[in-house]
């Protein structure tokens, strides 16, 4: 048995049968795929809520290669590279476009799985290909951007390819003709910034709003921002005119889960060792030796409170792993 405390940033006490660290891709051929497994990078979006009866496959291959065309840089990064180090490398080398995604915890290989996004940019905007090992065929396979079926915090790797595909590298295309993306409100004050200045500002905003997992164990945004019908959003806006809302389509509006949780009076709320962050209500913190039942109770409590007050169901964005694999705490469907 191996302790997973150091292998997921929420740091709940949990064990797995074994852990295999993959540094060379040929090691993937030696894994016994009949044993239940979980693929892990740095564990910043995965929480082990029980002892996992199987092997952890930790992807730790390294390497970055750069090619260029007249108009763009084509960069292939190994899945095991740390995401923020990769972003910093690109900006230092004068390859811009990822700076809004600075300081997101985790690895390059995890980025496409949940289509990481922040401050007006989603990683799908710059990914051209995702390469990996297909466990079913035992062969190398390359997916185009379109084949990845990217959506908000979602991709084919969470659905049809779940448990079947191991991302080994990601290819990005960054245009040489660069323009800062200042669409996110708090970045708009920047005047003709350099990419480095955008990155510095993103780092400053994140550091002020999001607790550092090294100091306060957490998994970033715990819930997805819910996408609701236009009708529900309009009736909520009549009652709460200052509620943040974002256009998705004529029929759908995205709401801010952090705002809903704060308005449900849950900032700073504690169950056992789990606490709703005072800085950002969308982040749950392991503030005091939390155990799995504290976290599961907190998820349900938040889902119930938000449903009761706003009629909105929250879905957790973080992947939860129990004894036999991934599990979900379903949002209650009615608040009685
Ligand atoms: N808000 C509150 N109270 C809170 C938190 C937020 O009122 O406690 C309000 C804010 O004032 C703002 C709105 O809610 O009007 C949205 O908040 P914010 O801009 O902080 O972003 P978010 O929607 O809470 C999303 C991503 C973050 C990403 C930020 C910035 C998701 C699930 N989360 O958070 O991503 O960094 O936007 O773009 O989409 C992550 O996925 O782990 C993550 C941190």
């Amino acid at each position: 048995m191996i302790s997973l405390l150091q292998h997921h940033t929420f740091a709940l006490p949990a064990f797995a049968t074994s852990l295999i660290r993959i540094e060379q891709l040929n090691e993937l051929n030696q894994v016994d795929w009949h044993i239940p497994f979980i693929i892990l990078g740095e564990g910043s979006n995965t929480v082990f809520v029980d002892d996992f009866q199987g092997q952890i496959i930790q992807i730790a291959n390294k390497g970055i290669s750069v090619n260029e065309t007249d108009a763009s840089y084509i960069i292939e990064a190994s899945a095991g590279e740390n995401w923020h180090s990769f972003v910093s490398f690109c900006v230092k080398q004068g390859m811009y476009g990822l700076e809004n995604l600075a300081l997101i915890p985790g690895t390059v290989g995890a980025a496409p799985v949940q289509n990481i996004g922040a401050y007006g940019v989603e990683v799908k905007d710059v990914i051209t290909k995702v390469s990996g090992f297909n466990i079913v065929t035992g062969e190398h396979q390359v997916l185009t951007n379109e084949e990845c079926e990217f959506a908000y915090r979602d991709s084919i790797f969470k659905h049809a390819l779940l448990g079947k595909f191991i991302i080994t590298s990601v290819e990005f295309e960054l245009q040489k003709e660069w323009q800062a993306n200042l669409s996110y409100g708090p970045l708009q004050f920047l005047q003709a910034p350099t990419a480095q200045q955008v990155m510095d500002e993103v780092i400053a905003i994140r550091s002020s709003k999001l607790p550092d997992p090294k100091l306060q164990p957490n998994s970033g945004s715990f819930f997805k921002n819910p996408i609701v019908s236009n009708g529900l959003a309009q009736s909520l806006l009549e009652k709460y005119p200052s509620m943040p809302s974002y256009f998705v389509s004529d029929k759908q509006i995205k709401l801010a889960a952090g705002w809903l949780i704060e308005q449900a009076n849950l900032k700073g709320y504690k169950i056992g060792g789990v606490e709703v962050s005072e800085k950002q209500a969308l982040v749950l913190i392991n503030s005091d030796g939390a155990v799995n039942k504290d976290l599961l109770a907190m998820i349900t409590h938040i889902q119930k409170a938000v449903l009761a007050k706003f009629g909105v169901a929250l879905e957790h964005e973080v992947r939860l792993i129990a004894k036999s694999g991934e599990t979900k705490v379903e949002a209650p469907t009615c608040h009685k």
Side-chain angles (χ1 to χ4, degrees):
M1 296 291 265
I2 178 145
S3 168
L4 298 174
L5 211 57
Q6 305 292 328
H7 294 289
H8 64 147
T9 59
F10 206 87
L12 290 184
F15 288 84
T17 315
S18 63
L19 184 143
I20 300 173
R21 195 175 152 85
I22 304 289
E23 289 177 9
Q24 306 294 331
L25 294 187
N26 58 9
E27 292 162 351
L28 287 170
N29 294 309
Q30 288 143 31
V31 174
D32 180 354
W33 298 109
H34 300 293
I35 300 172
F37 62 88
I38 292 293
I39 314 290
L40 205 63
E42 293 175 5
S44 54
N45 202 49
T46 300
V47 178
F48 291 92
V49 292
D50 207 335
D51 293 338
F52 173 61
Q53 315 272 307
Q55 52 188 349
I56 305 297
I57 311 292
Q58 189 177 41
I59 306 299
N61 60 328
K62 295 273 155 52
I64 300 173
S65 67
V66 182
N67 284 302
E68 58 182 297
T69 66
D70 286 349
S72 60
Y73 297 102
I74 313 287
I75 309 157
E76 182 162 14
S78 298
E81 290 283 346
N82 171 270
W83 175 261
H84 177 69
S85 307
F86 171 62
V87 172
S88 309
F89 165 85
C90 290
V91 172
K92 267 205 195 95
Q93 300 290 317
M95 305 184 293
Y96 306 139
L98 293 173
E99 52 286 340
N100 295 48
L101 303 178
L103 218 60
I104 294 183
T107 57
V108 166
V113 177
Q114 51 152 339
N115 180 23
I116 58 171
Y119 311 111
V121 174
E122 278 187 330
V123 77
K124 75 167 171 55
D125 303 337
V126 285
I127 287 179
T128 39
K129 285 177 198 160
V130 175
S131 298
F133 174 80
N134 188 314
I135 294 164
V136 183
T137 62
E139 281 175 11
H140 181 78
Q141 190 184 339
V142 180
L143 278 84
T144 62
N145 178 300
E146 204 166 53
E147 286 167 341
C148 293
E149 296 176 10
F150 289 123
Y152 168 63
R153 292 296 192 277
D154 206 16
S155 73
I156 193 168
F157 307 109
K158 283 186 165 185
H159 301 282
L161 289 182
L162 181 64
K164 297 186 182 136
F165 192 81
I166 299 195
I167 296 172
T168 53
S169 69
V170 182
E171 188 189 90
F172 303 85
E173 180 168 17
L174 301 181
Q175 298 302 327
K176 289 184 177 172
E177 203 165 299
W178 172 82
Q179 245 196 331
N181 183 328
L182 305 178
S183 57
Y184 182 81
L187 292 178
Q188 276 163 12
F189 79 95
L190 293 170
Q191 303 272 327
T194 62
Q196 182 66 50
Q197 285 167 331
V198 174
M199 179 157 134
D200 291 346
E201 191 55 35
V202 165
I203 290 174
I205 297 173
R206 283 192 86 91
S207 310
S208 71
K209 276 196 179 178
L210 297 166
D212 179 349
K214 287 194 195 97
L215 305 175
Q216 291 181 299
N218 74 82
S219 306
S221 297
F222 209 93
F223 297 93
K224 285 189 192 179
N225 283 331
I227 296 175
V228 302
S229 69
N230 206 355
L232 175 56
Q234 293 315 325
S235 66
L236 287 172
L237 279 166
E238 268 168 37
K239 213 165 159 195
Y240 309 99
S242 64
M243 177 182 77
S245 62
Y246 314 96
F247 176 85
V248 175
S249 71
D250 289 346
K251 294 192 177 128
Q252 292 185 308
I253 303 282
K254 187 151 74 177
L255 306 181
W259 186 90
L260 298 171
I261 296 169
E262 179 170 351
Q263 296 302 312
N265 260 330
L266 291 174
K267 255 191 174 175
Y269 185 77
K270 277 188 189 169
I271 298 183
V274 175
E275 186 177 338
V276 178
S277 168
E278 288 279 3
K279 287 186 187 169
Q280 223 297 9
L282 196 46
V283 178
L284 304 184
I285 300 169
N286 175 354
S287 60
D288 191 12
V291 291
N292 63 351
K293 69 172 182 10
D294 302 339
L295 179 63
L296 297 173
M298 179 65 95
I299 297 171
T300 305
H301 184 81
I302 292 173
Q303 287 173 328
K304 280 192 176 154
V306 168
L307 188 75
K309 182 155 180 160
F310 299 103
V312 174
L314 289 186
E315 195 187 330
H316 56 85
E317 192 238 319
V318 169
R319 300 178 68 198
L320 303 181
I321 312 296
K323 265 191 175 37
S324 52
E326 188 157 357
T327 183
K328 226 175 178 192
V329 180
E330 292 295 343
T333 44
C334 89
H335 49 88
K336 290 195 184 103

